[in-house]
Amino acid sequence: MLGRVKELIAEVEEFKAKKVVHIEEFRIKFLGKKGIMNDLFREFKNVEPALKKEFGQLLNELKAKTQEKIDSAKEDLESSDDAKSVFGDLTRPAEPLDLGSRHPISIVRNRIVEIFNRIGFVVSEGPEIEDDWHNFTALNLPEYHPARDMQDTFFVQTNPDELLRTHTSSVQVRYMEDHKPPIRTISPGRVFRNEAISARAHCIFHQVEGLYIDENVSFADLKQTLMYFSKELFGKSKIRLRPSYFPFTEPSAEVDIYWGLETETDYRITKGTGWLEIGGCGMVDPNVLKNANIDAEKYSGFAFGFGVERIAMLLYQIGDIRHFFENDVRFLEQFKADLK
Ligand code: DAH
């Protein structure tokens, strides 16, 4: 019995560790709950009385030496050359942190907002689940108006008065209800339409709505504002306003910007014309002002709504709208440089 403990002491003295796991294995073997040390202490009562004292001393020695060995082995490992090269060199470059990127839609939305901020437009927002009044009726689109068909709508099944907003024009109404003219506001947001998904259309997309109400606002002001916007965002001020119809504006126009035909994507996105429609605009219909309790005799104003995906596709030469919603990291990673 004494001989066995002496052998164990020798084993402990010889122990060397190359890795932290070896030290841990060694510790468990000797000092663990089911380890050698505990076994030996249990043996203690079976030892002849005459040998008890020596046995006890040897046990204590074994235990102390084991602990010492563990401590010194750890210290040796930490100060070894290998470890030093990892922990000791404070000039080593840190682990590379993967930089995230903003979503291209956020980048473009922020740029649009910033351009309008500069000429005094403030940001406003509204709910994505909207009521019939703000999305349609107040915008001069009463129930059964055929123009409602222009925007295929997702209704909330449990409540026929609730729907997913089909455009950010709903925020115009909310803003006019809460603010007195002069009004200059820009409302970015997500909108929903019950449409088949393709390379050019999606059932979820983003718009920015603009609204300007004051005394003596004219169509010339609208055109000038749109030219300023196009120049700031695209570096091109050649725009075209095509007569159109929206129930909430009179007169109404479609806004095209002249992009040119330099790349294959330009051809695809502009259908070979060089012109791209980015949204609609017009002079706010007096009925809409009245619905929001604004004096239509005294005030006039213009409004516009742009599709953010359209603009992003043009700016970044993206040929398929679905890329924005799939969140494929290989696609998103390309926007790292643009952290604004
Ligand atoms: N709400 C329209 C749409 O989603 C876009 C639009 C057209 C907004 C003309 C306007 C506007 O503010 O004046 O198709």
Side-chain angles (χ1 to χ4, degrees):
M1 204 70 227
L2 295 184
R4 165 142 165 77
V5 181
K6 282 180 187 160
E7 272 170 33
L8 288 168
I9 292 177
E11 185 185 332
V12 166
E13 279 169 346
E14 269 166 33
F15 173 75
K16 284 194 176 63
K18 283 213 176 83
K19 287 185 175 164
V20 181
V21 274
H22 298 154
I23 303 178
E24 185 57 9
E25 279 163 16
F26 174 78
R27 188 191 65 77
I28 292 169
K29 179 175 166 193
F30 281 89
L31 303 180
K33 247 194 189 146
K34 294 180 184 158
I36 293 171
M37 232 31 253
N38 276 346
D39 283 349
L40 291 173
F41 277 121
R42 241 172 274 126
E43 289 287 322
F44 192 78
K45 56 180 184 298
N46 303 327
V47 175
E48 284 174 43
L51 294 177
K52 268 207 157 83
K53 186 173 170 206
E54 199 186 344
F55 186 74
Q57 279 169 350
L58 281 175
L59 280 195
N60 284 335
E61 185 183 338
L62 176 62
K63 190 176 177 189
K65 285 212 158 132
T66 310
Q67 191 57 54
E68 262 169 41
K69 195 70 187 189
I70 291 170
D71 294 344
S72 68
K74 274 190 189 159
E75 243 171 61
D76 287 351
L77 262 192
E78 277 164 17
S79 59
S80 74
D81 284 351
D82 270 4
K84 261 199 210 125
S85 62
V86 176
F87 301 112
D89 179 1
L90 298 180
T91 64
R92 266 166 49 93
E95 288 285 324
L97 272 184
D98 239 346
L99 205 56
S101 55
R102 273 212 209 295
H103 195 282
I105 292 301
S106 304
I107 297 171
V108 172
R109 181 203 51 213
N110 292 349
R111 283 178 64 183
I112 297 173
V113 164
E114 198 239 335
I115 288 169
F116 282 103
N117 277 169
R118 266 186 262 151
I119 52 170
F121 283 71
V122 296
V123 172
S124 55
E125 280 174 357
E128 290 179 349
I129 301 176
E130 209 21 303
D131 51 37
D132 184 282
W133 170 256
H134 293 97
N135 197 82
F136 289 128
T137 308
L139 287 163
N140 214 17
L141 269 154
E143 217 185 333
Y144 306 119
H145 193 292
R148 284 200 180 194
D149 279 353
M150 285 161 75
Q151 304 180 350
D152 284 328
T153 311
F154 286 117
F155 290 93
V156 176
Q157 248 183 358
T158 48
N159 183 350
D161 187 46
E162 284 188 339
L163 44 90
L164 300 184
R165 68 177 175 197
T166 56
H167 51 187
T168 42
S169 302
S170 55
V171 188
Q172 275 190 33
V173 181
R174 288 185 176 272
Y175 198 85
M176 284 190 282
E177 283 171 347
D178 294 343
H179 297 81
K180 293 251 152 312
I183 286 172
R184 264 177 292 181
T185 185
I186 181 109
S187 326
R190 193 159 54 157
V191 301
F192 309 83
R193 300 232 183 132
N194 194 356
E195 269 175 36
I197 297 172
S198 70
R200 292 174 56 85
H202 209 287
C203 57
I204 304 175
F205 54 100
H206 297 78
Q207 291 186 332
V208 236
E209 187 81 11
L211 178 69
Y212 184 27
I213 312 266
D214 204 345
E215 288 174 42
N216 303 319
V217 179
S218 71
F219 201 90
D221 296 324
L222 167 61
K223 187 168 181 195
Q224 201 64 42
T225 306
L226 295 173
M227 279 163 66
Y228 155 80
F229 167 71
S230 175
K231 176 92 184 146
E232 292 299 304
L233 188 64
F234 302 108
K236 300 166 201 253
S237 52
K238 191 163 156 188
I239 65 164
R240 182 169 77 176
L241 297 176
R242 271 180 301 119
S244 183
Y245 170 74
F246 297 103
F248 28 91
T249 43
E250 181 58 40
S252 307
E254 227 111 21
V255 186
D256 297 345
I257 62 146
Y258 187 70
W259 180 255
L261 283 173
E262 275 156 34
T263 68
E264 211 187 307
T265 316
D266 294 344
Y267 263 89
R268 192 151 12 123
I269 300 178
T270 68
K271 293 190 195 146
T273 63
W275 289 95
L276 188 87
E277 181 196 322
I278 59 164
C281 68
M283 301 306 291
V284 180
D285 193 294
N287 284 338
V288 176
L289 296 177
K290 278 179 217 150
N291 286 337
N293 294 322
I294 289 181
D295 182 352
E297 299 291 323
K298 187 169 174 202
Y299 295 105
S300 56
F302 63 72
F304 54 83
F306 303 144
V308 181
E309 279 77 5
R310 282 268 169 119
I311 294 176
M313 285 168 87
L314 205 57
L315 280 177
Y316 291 119
Q317 299 283 291
I318 295 164
D320 191 320
I321 196 171
R322 288 168 290 202
H323 283 305
F324 294 120
F325 302 95
E326 280 160 10
N327 287 331
D328 185 327
V329 180
R330 291 167 302 177
F331 170 72
L332 296 176
E333 265 178 352
Q334 300 175 77
F335 301 93
K336 274 188 183 163
D338 238 332
L339 275 179
K340 226 175 168 189

